[in-house]
Amino acid sequence: MQINISNAAIKWFQEEVGLKKGNKVRFYTQIYGSSPVQENFALGFTVDNEPVDMSVKTEIEGITFFIEGTDLWFFNGHDLHVDYNPQKDEVEYSYTISE
């Protein structure tokens, strides 16, 4: 499994969330919502500098984006892609089957 963050999404995280080098962003499962990989569950994020079980991570511009082991089930064999949607002015998630 991989986490892919677009340059536009990185810029959004830096400008809107105020992230800088050394910060950590955790992607986590929410019990409400929906996604293409899990019905009745959605993905959220939080700034979390104290990971417990950082199972998947990627670092871009000194910012670590990660998923805890307890949330890996959500992805069901898919990679996570995070991009910025300028019409909604927010990040959006898409998923592709892991190779």
Side-chain angles (χ1 to χ4, degrees), residues 40-60:
N40 299 320
F41 291 90
L43 198 63
F45 75 87
T46 185
V47 177
D48 185 349
N49 288 321
E50 297 298 326
V52 174
D53 177 23
M54 191 185 306
S55 293
V56 179
K57 69 175 183 173
T58 190
E59 185 176 316
I60 302 170

Side-chain angles (χ1 to χ4, degrees), residues 28-34 38-44 73-74:
Y28 66 92
T29 304
Q30 300 182 80
I31 297 174
Y32 58 90
S34 65
Q38 293 293 338
E39 189 174 330
N40 299 320
F41 291 90
L43 198 63
W73 66 269
F74 172 86

Side-chain angles (χ1 to χ4, degrees), residues 8-47:
I10 290 292
K11 184 176 178 181
W12 182 88
F13 276 109
Q14 291 170 325
E15 293 176 358
E16 296 299 320
V17 182
L19 294 182
K20 56 188 177 215
K21 187 175 181 178
N23 286 136
K24 294 177 180 67
V25 174
R26 175 184 173 203
F27 295 105
Y28 66 92
T29 304
Q30 300 182 80
I31 297 174
Y32 58 90
S34 65
S35 75
V37 292
Q38 293 293 338
E39 189 174 330
N40 299 320
F41 291 90
L43 198 63
F45 75 87
T46 185
V47 177

Side-chain angles (χ1 to χ4, degrees), residues 52-72:
V52 174
D53 177 23
M54 191 185 306
S55 293
V56 179
K57 69 175 183 173
T58 190
E59 185 176 316
I60 302 170
E61 295 190 25
I63 302 167
T64 302
F65 297 88
F66 71 97
I67 299 164
E68 294 277 7
T70 55
D71 288 319
L72 286 178

